Coordinates of all heavy atoms in Angstrom, one line a residue:
M1 N -4.9 -2.1 31.5 CA -4.3 -2.0 30.2 C -2.6 -2.3 30.3 O -2.1 -1.9 31.4 CB -4.3 -0.5 29.7 CG -3.7 -0.5 28.2 SD -3.9 1.2 27.6 CE -2.8 1.3 26.3
D2 N -2.3 -3.1 29.5 CA -0.8 -3.4 29.5 C 0.0 -2.3 29.0 O 0.1 -2.2 27.8 CB -0.6 -4.7 28.6 CG 0.7 -5.3 28.8 OD1 1.6 -4.7 29.4 OD2 1.0 -6.4 28.3
C3 N 0.7 -1.7 29.8 CA 1.5 -0.6 29.4 C 3.0 -1.0 28.9 O 3.6 0.0 28.6 CB 1.6 0.5 30.6 SG 0.1 1.1 31.1
T4 N 3.2 -2.3 29.1 CA 4.5 -2.7 28.5 C 4.5 -2.8 27.0 O 5.5 -2.9 26.3 CB 4.9 -4.0 29.1 OG1 4.1 -5.0 28.8 CG2 5.1 -3.9 30.6
K5 N 3.2 -2.8 26.5 CA 3.2 -3.1 25.0 C 2.7 -1.6 24.3 O 1.9 -1.0 25.0 CB 2.2 -4.1 24.6 CG 2.7 -5.5 24.9 CD 1.8 -6.5 24.1 CE 2.4 -7.8 24.1 NZ 2.4 -8.4 25.6
P6 N 3.3 -1.3 23.3 CA 2.8 0.0 22.7 C 1.3 -0.2 22.1 O 0.9 -1.2 21.8 CB 3.8 0.1 21.4 CG 4.3 -1.2 21.1 CD 4.3 -2.0 22.5
A7 N 0.7 0.9 22.3 CA -0.8 0.9 21.9 C -1.0 0.6 20.5 O -2.0 -0.1 20.1 CB -1.5 2.2 22.1
K8 N -0.1 0.7 19.7 CA -0.3 0.5 18.1 C -0.6 -1.0 17.9 O -1.1 -1.3 16.8 CB 0.9 1.0 17.4 CG 2.2 0.3 17.6 CD 3.2 0.7 16.6 CE 4.5 -0.1 16.6 NZ 5.4 0.0 15.5
T9 N 0.0 -1.9 18.8 CA -0.1 -3.4 18.4 C -1.5 -3.7 18.9 O -1.8 -5.0 18.7 CB 0.9 -4.2 19.2 OG1 0.7 -3.9 20.6 CG2 2.4 -3.8 18.7
Q10 N -2.3 -3.0 19.6 CA -3.5 -3.5 20.0 C -4.8 -3.1 19.3 O -5.9 -3.2 19.6 CB -3.7 -2.8 21.5 CG -2.7 -3.4 22.5 CD -2.7 -2.7 23.8 OE1 -3.6 -1.9 24.1 NE2 -1.7 -2.9 24.7
C11 N -4.5 -2.7 18.1 CA -5.6 -2.3 17.1 C -5.3 -2.9 15.9 O -4.2 -3.0 15.4 CB -5.8 -0.8 17.1 SG -4.6 0.2 16.5
D12 N -6.4 -3.3 15.2 CA -6.2 -4.1 13.9 C -6.1 -3.1 12.9 O -6.8 -2.1 12.9 CB -7.5 -5.0 13.7 CG -7.4 -6.3 14.6 OD1 -6.3 -6.5 15.0 OD2 -8.6 -6.8 14.9
V13 N -5.3 -3.2 11.9 CA -5.1 -2.4 10.8 C -5.2 -3.2 9.5 O -4.6 -4.3 9.3 CB -3.6 -1.6 10.8 CG1 -3.5 -0.9 9.5 CG2 -3.6 -0.9 12.0
T14 N -6.0 -2.7 8.5 CA -6.1 -3.1 7.3 C -5.3 -2.3 6.3 O -5.5 -1.0 6.4 CB -7.5 -3.4 6.9 OG1 -8.4 -2.2 7.0 CG2 -8.2 -4.5 7.7
C15 N -4.9 -2.9 5.2 CA -4.1 -2.3 4.1 C -5.0 -1.1 3.5 O -6.2 -1.6 3.2 CB -3.5 -3.2 3.1 SG -2.8 -2.3 1.8
G16 N -4.6 0.1 3.4 CA -5.4 1.1 2.8 C -5.6 0.9 1.4 O -6.4 1.7 0.7
H17 N -4.8 -0.1 0.8 CA -4.9 -0.2 -0.6 C -5.7 -1.3 -1.0 O -6.6 -1.3 -1.9 CB -3.5 -0.2 -1.2 CG -3.3 -0.4 -2.8 ND1 -3.8 0.7 -3.4 CD2 -3.0 -1.4 -3.6 CE1 -3.6 0.4 -4.8 NE2 -3.2 -0.8 -4.9
C18 N -5.4 -2.5 -0.4 CA -6.1 -3.8 -0.8 C -7.0 -4.3 0.3 O -7.7 -5.2 0.0 CB -5.1 -4.8 -1.3 SG -4.0 -5.4 0.0
G19 N -6.8 -3.8 1.5 CA -7.8 -4.3 2.5 C -7.4 -5.5 3.2 O -8.2 -6.0 4.2
A20 N -6.1 -5.9 3.0 CA -5.6 -7.1 3.7 C -5.2 -6.7 5.1 O -4.9 -5.5 5.3 CB -4.4 -7.6 3.0
D21 N -5.3 -7.7 6.0 CA -4.8 -7.4 7.4 C -3.3 -7.0 7.4 O -2.4 -7.7 6.6 CB -4.9 -8.8 8.3 CG -6.5 -9.0 8.6 OD1 -7.3 -7.8 8.3 OD2 -6.8 -10.0 8.9
V22 N -2.9 -6.1 8.1 CA -1.5 -5.7 8.3 C -1.0 -6.1 9.6 O -1.5 -5.5 10.7 CB -1.4 -4.1 8.0 CG1 0.1 -3.8 8.0 CG2 -1.9 -3.8 6.6
E23 N 0.0 -6.8 9.8 CA 0.6 -7.3 11.0 C 1.4 -6.0 11.4 O 2.3 -5.6 10.8 CB 1.5 -8.6 10.8 CG 0.6 -9.8 10.8 CD 1.4 -11.0 11.0 OE1 2.6 -10.9 11.7 OE2 1.2 -12.1 10.4
Q24 N 1.2 -5.8 12.8 CA 2.0 -4.8 13.3 C 3.2 -5.3 14.0 O 3.1 -6.3 14.7 CB 1.2 -4.0 14.3 CG 0.0 -3.4 13.8 CD 0.3 -2.3 12.7 OE1 1.1 -1.4 13.0 NE2 -0.4 -2.4 11.4
T25 N 4.3 -4.7 13.7 CA 5.5 -5.2 14.6 C 5.6 -4.4 15.8 O 5.3 -3.3 16.0 CB 6.8 -4.8 13.7 OG1 6.8 -3.5 13.4 CG2 7.0 -5.7 12.5
E26 N 6.1 -5.2 16.9 CA 6.2 -4.6 18.2 C 7.4 -3.6 18.3 O 8.3 -3.7 17.6 CB 6.3 -5.7 19.2 CG 5.2 -6.6 19.3 CD 4.9 -6.9 20.8 OE1 5.5 -6.4 21.7 OE2 4.0 -7.7 21.1
G27 N 7.3 -2.7 19.2 CA 8.4 -1.7 19.3 C 7.9 -0.3 18.9 O 6.7 -0.1 18.7
R28 N 8.9 0.6 18.9 CA 8.5 1.9 18.7 C 8.4 2.2 17.2 O 8.9 1.4 16.4 CB 9.6 2.9 19.3 CG 9.8 2.7 20.8 CD 10.9 3.5 21.3 NE 10.8 5.0 21.0 CZ 10.1 5.8 21.8 NH1 9.6 5.4 22.9 NH2 10.0 7.1 21.6
G29 N 7.9 3.4 16.9 CA 7.7 3.7 15.5 C 6.3 3.9 15.1 O 5.3 3.8 15.9
R30 N 6.1 4.2 13.9 CA 4.7 4.5 13.3 C 4.0 3.1 13.1 O 4.6 2.1 12.8 CB 4.9 5.3 12.0 CG 5.5 6.6 12.1 CD 5.6 7.2 10.8 NE 4.3 7.3 10.2 CZ 4.1 7.9 9.1 NH1 5.1 8.4 8.3 NH2 2.9 8.0 8.5
R31 N 2.7 3.2 13.1 CA 1.8 2.1 12.7 C 2.1 1.9 11.3 O 2.2 2.7 10.5 CB 0.3 2.4 13.0 CG -0.1 2.1 14.4 CD -1.5 2.3 14.5 NE -2.0 3.4 13.8 CZ -3.3 3.5 13.1 NH1 -4.1 2.5 13.1 NH2 -3.7 4.5 12.5
K32 N 2.1 0.7 11.0 CA 2.1 0.2 9.4 C 0.7 0.4 9.0 O -0.3 -0.2 9.7 CB 2.7 -1.1 9.2 CG 4.1 -1.2 9.6 CD 4.9 -2.2 8.8 CE 4.3 -3.6 9.3 NZ 5.2 -4.7 8.5
L33 N 0.5 1.0 7.8 CA -0.9 1.2 7.4 C -1.0 0.4 6.1 O -2.2 0.3 5.6 CB -1.1 2.6 7.1 CG -0.9 3.6 8.3 CD1 -1.0 5.1 7.8 CD2 -2.0 3.3 9.2
F34 N -0.1 -0.3 5.5 CA -0.2 -1.1 4.4 C 0.5 -2.3 4.5 O 1.6 -2.4 5.2 CB 0.4 -0.2 3.1 CG -0.2 1.1 3.0 CD1 0.4 2.2 3.6 CD2 -1.5 1.4 2.4 CE1 -0.2 3.6 3.4 CE2 -2.0 2.6 2.3 CZ -1.4 3.7 2.7
C35 N 0.1 -3.3 3.6 CA 0.6 -4.6 3.8 C 2.0 -4.7 3.1 O 2.9 -5.5 3.4 CB -0.4 -5.7 3.2 SG -0.6 -5.4 1.4
S36 N 2.4 -3.8 2.3 CA 3.7 -3.7 1.7 C 4.0 -2.2 1.3 O 3.1 -1.4 1.2 CB 3.7 -4.6 0.4 OG 2.9 -4.1 -0.7
A37 N 5.3 -1.9 1.1 CA 5.7 -0.6 0.8 C 5.1 -0.3 -0.6 O 4.8 0.9 -0.9 CB 7.2 -0.6 0.8
E38 N 5.0 -1.3 -1.5 CA 4.4 -1.1 -2.8 C 3.0 -0.6 -2.7 O 2.6 0.3 -3.4 CB 4.5 -2.3 -3.7 CG 4.0 -2.2 -5.1 CD 4.8 -1.0 -5.8 OE1 5.9 -0.8 -5.7 OE2 4.0 -0.3 -6.5
H39 N 2.2 -1.2 -1.9 CA 0.8 -0.7 -1.7 C 0.7 0.6 -1.1 O -0.1 1.4 -1.4 CB 0.1 -1.7 -0.8 CG -0.4 -2.9 -1.6 ND1 -1.3 -3.8 -1.2 CD2 -0.1 -3.2 -3.0 CE1 -1.5 -4.8 -2.1 NE2 -0.9 -4.3 -3.3
G40 N 1.7 1.1 -0.1 CA 1.7 2.4 0.4 C 2.0 3.4 -0.7 O 1.3 4.4 -0.8
R41 N 2.9 3.0 -1.7 CA 3.2 3.8 -2.8 C 2.0 4.1 -3.7 O 1.6 5.2 -3.9 CB 4.5 3.4 -3.5 CG 5.7 3.9 -2.9 CD 6.9 3.8 -4.0 NE 7.2 2.3 -4.2 CZ 7.9 1.5 -3.5 NH1 8.5 2.0 -2.4 NH2 8.0 0.2 -3.9
S42 N 1.3 2.9 -3.9 CA 0.2 2.9 -4.8 C -0.9 3.8 -4.2 O -1.6 4.6 -5.0 CB -0.4 1.5 -5.1 OG 0.8 0.8 -5.7
Y43 N -1.2 3.7 -2.9 CA -2.2 4.4 -2.3 C -2.0 5.8 -2.3 O -2.9 6.7 -2.7 CB -2.2 3.9 -0.8 CG -3.2 4.6 0.0 CD1 -4.7 4.4 0.1 CD2 -2.9 5.7 0.9 CE1 -5.5 5.1 0.7 CE2 -3.5 6.3 1.6 CZ -5.0 6.1 1.6 OH -5.9 6.9 2.4
R44 N -0.7 6.3 -1.9 CA -0.4 7.6 -1.9 C -0.4 8.3 -3.4 O -0.9 9.4 -3.5 CB 1.0 7.9 -1.4 CG 0.8 7.9 0.1 CD 2.2 8.3 0.9 NE 3.1 7.2 0.8 CZ 3.3 6.3 1.7 NH1 2.4 6.3 2.8 NH2 4.1 5.3 1.7
R45 N -0.1 7.5 -4.3 CA -0.1 8.0 -5.8 C -1.5 8.2 -6.2 O -1.9 9.2 -6.7 CB 0.5 6.9 -6.7 CG 0.9 7.5 -8.1 CD 1.4 6.4 -9.0 NE 2.5 5.7 -8.4 CZ 2.6 4.4 -8.4 NH1 1.8 3.6 -8.7 NH2 3.7 3.9 -7.7
R46 N -2.4 7.2 -5.8 CA -3.8 7.4 -6.1 C -4.5 8.6 -5.5 O -5.3 9.4 -6.0 CB -4.6 6.1 -5.7 CG -5.9 6.0 -6.1 CD -6.5 4.6 -6.1 NE -6.3 3.9 -4.9 CZ -7.2 3.9 -3.8 NH1 -8.3 4.3 -4.1 NH2 -6.9 3.3 -2.8
M47 N -4.2 8.8 -4.1 CA -4.8 9.8 -3.4 C -4.3 11.2 -3.9 O -5.0 12.0 -4.1 CB -4.4 9.7 -1.9 CG -5.0 8.7 -1.2 SD -6.8 8.6 -1.2 CE -7.2 9.6 0.2
R48 N -3.0 11.3 -4.3 CA -2.6 12.6 -4.9 C -3.2 12.8 -6.3 O -3.5 14.0 -6.5 CB -1.1 12.5 -5.2 CG -0.1 12.7 -3.9 CD 1.3 13.1 -4.2 NE 2.1 12.7 -3.1 CZ 2.9 11.6 -3.0 NH1 2.8 10.8 -4.1 NH2 3.5 11.3 -2.0
A49 N -3.4 11.7 -7.0 CA -4.1 12.0 -8.2 C -5.6 12.6 -8.1 O -6.1 13.2 -8.9 CB -4.3 10.7 -9.0
L50 N -6.1 12.2 -6.8 CA -7.4 12.7 -6.6 C -7.4 14.1 -5.9 O -8.5 14.6 -5.5 CB -8.1 11.6 -5.6 CG -8.5 10.2 -6.2 CD1 -9.0 9.3 -5.1 CD2 -9.6 10.5 -7.3
G51 N -6.1 14.6 -5.6 CA -6.1 15.9 -5.0 C -5.8 15.9 -3.5 O -5.9 17.0 -3.0
F52 N -5.7 14.8 -2.9 CA -5.4 14.8 -1.3 C -3.9 15.0 -1.1 O -3.0 14.4 -1.9 CB -5.8 13.5 -0.9 CG -7.3 13.4 -0.8 CD1 -8.0 12.5 -1.8 CD2 -8.1 13.8 0.3 CE1 -9.3 12.4 -1.7 CE2 -9.5 13.6 0.2 CZ -10.1 12.9 -0.8
P53 N -3.5 15.7 -0.2 CA -2.1 16.1 0.2 C -1.5 15.0 1.0 O -1.1 15.2 2.0 CB -2.2 17.4 0.8 CG -3.5 17.4 1.6 CD -4.5 16.6 0.7
V54 N -1.3 13.8 0.5 CA -0.7 12.8 1.2 C 0.7 12.5 0.7 O 1.0 12.8 -0.5 CB -1.4 11.4 1.1 CG1 -2.6 11.4 2.1 CG2 -1.9 11.0 -0.3
Ligands
ZN1 ZN1 -2.1 -4.3 0.4

């Protein structure tokens, strides 16, 4: 395993809102879960409407 790269770049992520591939940026920080900030907002708004604590 290449320890010089963060593990988050080694797994594919699809947008939780529209299902598009999400490119991960290298470096520290959280994994990106959505293709855009707008889709992240839409997803959380929808989940809250359904009663999930996101
Ligand atoms: Zn999206």
Side-chain angles (χ1 to χ4, degrees):
M1 184 175 165
D2 185 355
C3 292
T4 63
K5 285 193 171 67
K8 70 171 187 169
T9 61
Q10 294 172 11
C11 57
D12 291 332
V13 173
T14 51
C15 176
H17 185 65
C18 70
D21 291 339
V22 181
E23 280 194 35
Q24 301 297 314
T25 50
E26 294 220 8
R28 298 175 62 85
R30 298 178 56 180
R31 274 190 319 149
K32 291 207 294 184
L33 298 175
F34 304 97
C35 62
S36 68
E38 181 56 42
H39 276 185
R41 276 196 294 273
S42 299
Y43 173 80
R44 279 186 283 271
R45 194 183 307 132
R46 186 161 54 94
M47 291 300 275
R48 276 195 209 102
L50 292 170
F52 291 97
V54 282

